[in-house]
Amino acid sequence: MIAKTIGKGKSLRIKFENNLQFAKQLDRSDKLREFRSKFFIPTFEGKSAIYFSGHSLGLQPRQVGSFVNQEIKDWARLGVDGHAHAQRPWLYYHKYSKKALAEIVGAKPTEVVAMNQLTINLHLMMVSFFRPTRERYKILTEAGAFSSDQYAFESQINFNGLDPKNTLIELQPRGDEQTLRIEDILKAISEHGDELALVIFGGVQYYTGQFFDIRRITKAAHAAGAVAGFDLAHAIGNVDLQLHRDNVDFAVWCSYKYLNSGPGGIGGVFIHEKHFRRKGLQRFAGWWGHDENERFKMKKGFRPMPNVDGWQVSNVPILQAASHLASLELFQKAGIKALRQKSILLTGYLEHLLKAIDKDEIVFKILTPSNPRERGCQLSLAIRRQGRRIFASLTSKGIVADWREPNVIRLAPVPMYNTFEEVFKFSQIFKAVIKDTI
Ligand SMILES: *Cc1c(COP(=O)(O)O)cnc(C)c1O
């Protein structure tokens, strides 16, 4: 019965039960359950830890070692000839991840490329797509964006000779609300319409876990005459995206969170194909973006590849790109749609159990929207009292979560490797910790 419900995607209507047997039954009917065994799960006192920190660093796929080792062996065996003769020739390495990334973000392979890291990519995209004029120069974004993004915005504004104080518009939620309403975002975009150069939002907000409506924000930005960009750090591999269809201009991401590609993993960008042949677009160029048929002729005069590859600057960091490939292979096998379907159920179950612990929100409040369409797998809990002690106690019991000042615990049950049983066990531990602490 449960399997059927999940299979038909009617998971939202499931009636959750508060017991271990029910959780185990959900695991048994989970079509993706085999994927957990493809990861190393950190241990705590000899048992598997409950790892809910995939929002910060995804776990290591077991096959990463063999992918990375292949490159290390080819380097030892071939030296420079590995560029052409490695098992996966290094010269073309940026091409190997395109198909998987395109599926994950809903794009054409020509529109996505793995390169650099997130904040660098954000700068490169802003160089091309934040082109302020005298009338149209403002950036509109969510308040409380990730620090690195804020620094990028501030420095890009300064770089253009403008003042962040009257250039950056940061939207706050209403009064005592925690997350932004889509109608307020759309209204702000149209109100500031004539002055806006760029509308840029997180895909999923790192702190609250809110999944913004990319399609409607993009549409409104375009209607106002502005460019629409997204930082998908917490969205990629977490929610289903349709960047091409939604007509997004550009997006950037990292691969070490839900994409499980390892610490400092390679980042990526999406650029809509409508920009490929635009004349006069500025960019910071390097040889890897140059026409690949002439790359080694070392001639003067930059001629970019006529697709997203034209924004590459440097050659590919092969070891990071190898672990990326290892992980992307699992995404292709599991399928982002199936992952998302499980995720809605898994996070829905966590929410259900949390609410049963503290119905009247005396100890904590869930900041993340309750509508599954407005969130990914993460739930952010604002703890009203004794937050640090509660968090420390959870940690001492083998739960790997994350603490954000001033009082937030972020929990991410990840559909690729977390189980319903873990969600249930977490809720039992959390309940006991609250009882002992407060
Ligand atoms: C994780 C994260 C980053 C990290 O930036 P790096 O350049 O990868 O170090 C930046 N922005 C957001 C929104 C993030 O969540």
Side-chain angles (χ1 to χ4, degrees):
M1 140 73 196
I2 289 168
K4 233 180 177 174
T5 323
I6 298 172
K8 285 188 180 159
K10 290 183 184 160
S11 46
L12 301 182
R13 279 186 225 148
I14 210 162
K15 186 146 177 12
F16 290 126
E17 291 174 27
N18 272 11
N19 60 67
L20 182 60
Q21 257 187 325
F22 180 79
K24 286 184 166 176
Q25 203 182 334
L26 284 173
D27 281 325
R28 277 195 299 274
S29 49
D30 169 16
K31 290 199 194 98
L32 301 177
R33 65 181 179 277
E34 66 181 287
F35 282 91
R36 177 176 173 84
S37 67
K38 300 185 189 305
F39 286 81
F40 290 105
I41 311 289
T43 55
F44 177 80
E45 293 178 348
K47 285 189 288 189
S48 294
I50 297 183
Y51 193 83
F52 283 171
S53 277
H55 49 49
S56 294
L57 186 73
L59 292 180
Q60 183 185 145
R62 287 179 182 267
Q63 63 184 20
V64 159
S66 72
F67 274 68
V68 174
N69 270 326
Q70 182 66 48
E71 307 312 335
I72 288 174
K73 277 190 279 179
D74 286 347
W75 176 24
R77 188 168 62 90
L78 299 165
V80 70
D81 287 341
H83 284 301
H85 299 297
Q87 195 196 69
R88 287 180 286 265
W90 302 328
L91 269 179
Y92 311 110
Y93 223 92
H94 58 282
K95 302 190 182 201
Y96 309 147
S97 53
K98 279 179 182 286
K99 189 162 178 288
L101 287 171
E103 284 170 20
I104 292 170
V105 301
K108 298 186 178 180
T110 49
E111 293 174 316
V112 292
V113 69
M115 64 181 201
N116 313 312
Q117 291 191 292
L118 189 154
T119 311
I120 291 291
N121 287 336
L122 181 54
H123 278 296
L124 293 176
M125 293 302 102
M126 289 185 76
V127 163
S128 292
F129 297 107
F130 172 53
R131 303 291 300 152
T133 64
R134 185 178 274 281
E135 296 77 32
R136 201 178 263 292
Y137 59 95
K138 293 193 177 175
I139 299 176
L140 188 137
T141 189
E142 85 256 20
F146 195 90
S147 59
S148 198
D149 302 48
Q150 295 191 35
Y151 306 148
F153 301 156
E154 182 187 327
S155 57
Q156 284 284 335
I157 289 168
N158 288 328
F159 180 69
N160 279 285
L162 298 164
D163 180 356
K165 271 206 233 45
N166 52 33
T167 306
L168 191 61
I169 306 166
E170 298 176 292
L171 279 193
Q172 296 272 6
R174 288 186 195 184
D176 58 355
E177 295 183 1
Q178 312 296 332
T179 53
L180 284 162
R181 298 191 191 195
I182 182 68
E183 64 266 29
D184 291 354
I185 298 175
L186 301 181
K187 189 159 155 255
I189 293 173
S190 84
E191 271 173 15
H192 294 281
D194 298 344
E195 310 164 328
L196 287 182
L198 174 64
V199 174
I200 185 160
F201 274 77
V204 171
Q205 221 281 342
Y206 85 98
Y207 188 81
T208 64
Q210 179 175 20
F211 178 19
F212 293 114
D213 190 329
I214 290 177
R215 185 181 63 83
R216 294 177 71 187
I217 291 173
T218 301
K219 206 168 161 217
H222 290 167
V227 171
F230 292 87
D231 179 338
L232 303 178
H234 287 262
I236 192 164
N238 177 16
V239 290
D240 35 0
L241 299 161
Q242 288 297 337
L243 300 183
H244 178 85
R245 194 188 66 196
D246 290 347
N247 212 7
V248 167
D249 292 293
F250 72 86
V252 294
W253 57 82
C254 53
S255 69
Y256 48 83
K257 291 167 182 167
Y258 298 110
L259 287 188
N260 310 323
S261 302
I266 192 166
V269 302
F270 160 90
I271 297 175
H272 199 284
E273 65 181 359
K274 67 190 173 189
H275 296 299
F276 293 163
R277 293 183 185 279
R278 269 176 62 190
K279 295 265 184 301
L281 213 52
Q282 298 290 334
R283 72 180 97 194
F284 286 169
W287 70 326
W288 233 249
H290 190 80
D291 177 2
E292 66 183 4
N293 301 314
E294 298 204 320
R295 189 179 294 144
F296 295 96
K297 295 195 176 147
M298 307 315 222
K299 286 201 296 206
K300 264 195 162 321
F302 178 67
R303 286 203 313 162
M305 291 291 291
N307 55 42
V308 73
D309 294 357
W311 272 264
Q312 294 178 102
V313 179
S314 293
N315 74 95
V316 180
I318 298 298
L319 302 184
Q320 289 296 357
S323 65
H324 194 35
L325 282 188
S327 175
L328 290 177
E329 193 175 272
L330 297 181
F331 275 87
Q332 286 193 286
K333 283 188 183 148
I336 190 72
K337 290 209 159 47
L339 285 163
R340 173 64 168 153
Q341 222 170 59
K342 173 179 173 185
S343 178
I344 288 174
L345 201 57
L346 193 62
T347 296
Y349 192 41
L350 176 61
E351 181 186 40
H352 171 84
L353 296 172
L354 287 172
K355 284 195 165 159
I357 293 172
D358 185 25
K359 270 200 287 298
D360 302 320
E361 299 184 340
I362 291 165
V363 183
F364 65 88
K365 181 178 169 54
I366 301 176
L367 302 181
T368 312
S370 57
N371 180 350
R373 280 182 198 84
E374 293 173 27
R375 69 184 185 205
C377 66
Q378 173 185 322
L379 294 182
S380 303
L381 278 45
I383 315 287
R384 296 194 202 271
R385 296 187 273 159
Q386 304 279 9
R388 281 172 173 288
R389 281 184 55 200
I390 289 175
F391 181 72
S393 185
L394 290 173
T395 305
S396 76
K397 292 177 167 54
I399 287 160
V400 184
D402 151 298
W403 173 258
R404 290 278 141 175
E405 294 297 338
N407 66 337
V408 168
I409 296 176
R410 298 186 305 165
L411 304 167
V414 174
M416 188 73 101
Y417 48 73
N418 286 127
T419 64
F420 292 90
E421 182 172 341
E422 286 181 292
V423 164
F424 180 75
K425 285 189 172 156
F426 167 81
S427 75
Q428 296 287 94
I429 295 169
F430 190 48
K431 192 172 163 182
V433 164
I434 288 177
K435 201 159 161 251
D436 291 349
T437 315
I438 291 185

